[in-house]
Structure formats: structure tokens, C-alpha cells
Amino acid sequence: MTSVSAASPSGTAPPSPKALAKANATAKDFEAMVLAQMLAPMWETVEVDPDFGGGHAEETMRSVMVQEYGKAMAQSGGVGIAASVHAEILRLQEAKSQPAVALAPHSSSLTTR
């Protein structure tokens, strides 16, 4: 049995698997960055433990740790930001492939130029 890919409702071909994978990776990276930015203030208030490290190196590496926490949270499902960003990336790519039609920001209504 052969697979048949349907065109999107706007009549354009669906995005390639490579484009979908890139959009998904970009969305997850964005969510990881947002989560890291949300976690950063929490870690700024935690004092460095002088018994098990401390010093300038620990303070420097803390930002790397927070970034990795953000990546881990995004890879394990995150908070839903990646799904919204992924959908928006695909919507913008579809709009870009149709130069005569522009989408209104944050709206699904179409306007012509």
C-alpha cells in the first residue's frame, strides 16, 4: 500500500519531514531558553556552599547548569511553549510560501494586499 500525503487546506504541499524536524528542534530550543530564563532568578538567590565548592568557578558554571536544566525540562515535555511555537513557525512558513496573502498578527484571518 502506498502512502498519500494530502495538501494543506490552503492548497500548498505539506512541509517536508526535514522542515518539520527543524521547526520542532527550534521550538524546543526556544522553550529551553525560556525555561532557563525563568529558572535563573531562583538560582541567583541560592548561596554558594563553601564546603563543597564555591568560588568564582561555581558562580560561572551556575548559568550553564541552569541552561541544561532548561534543556532537560523542554526535552521531557516542557510546559507547552514548544507546541505553540512549532505551530506558529509552520503557520509563518505557509504564509511565506504564499506571497499574495498576508496573515494578520496573532489571528487566523487572511487579508489581501
Side-chain angles (χ1 to χ4, degrees):
M1 182 173 191
T2 60
S3 65
V4 177
S5 61
S8 68
S10 63
T12 61
S16 70
K18 185 177 179 180
L20 286 173
K22 185 175 181 182
N24 190 44
T26 301
K28 283 200 181 279
D29 288 346
F30 180 78
E31 182 168 26
M33 184 269 309
V34 169
L35 291 170
Q37 291 297 311
M38 290 172 52
L39 291 171
M42 178 184 74
W43 284 98
E44 289 172 2
T45 62
V46 176
E47 293 194 21
V48 178
D49 184 6
D51 295 333
F52 296 102
H56 184 66
E58 186 171 339
E59 291 175 16
T60 302
M61 294 306 293
R62 188 172 280 180
S63 65
V64 174
M65 179 187 70
V66 171
Q67 288 175 357
E68 291 302 314
Y69 281 159
K71 288 178 188 178
M73 290 172 68
Q75 289 301 320
S76 65
V79 295
I81 296 170
S84 297
V85 171
H86 185 257
E88 187 67 13
I89 289 170
L90 295 179
R91 184 183 78 83
L92 291 171
Q93 286 177 346
E94 185 175 332
K96 186 178 178 182
S97 69
Q98 299 174 2
V101 177
L103 293 177
H106 304 291
S107 170
S108 61
S109 63
L110 296 176
T111 57
T112 57
R113 293 182 189 174

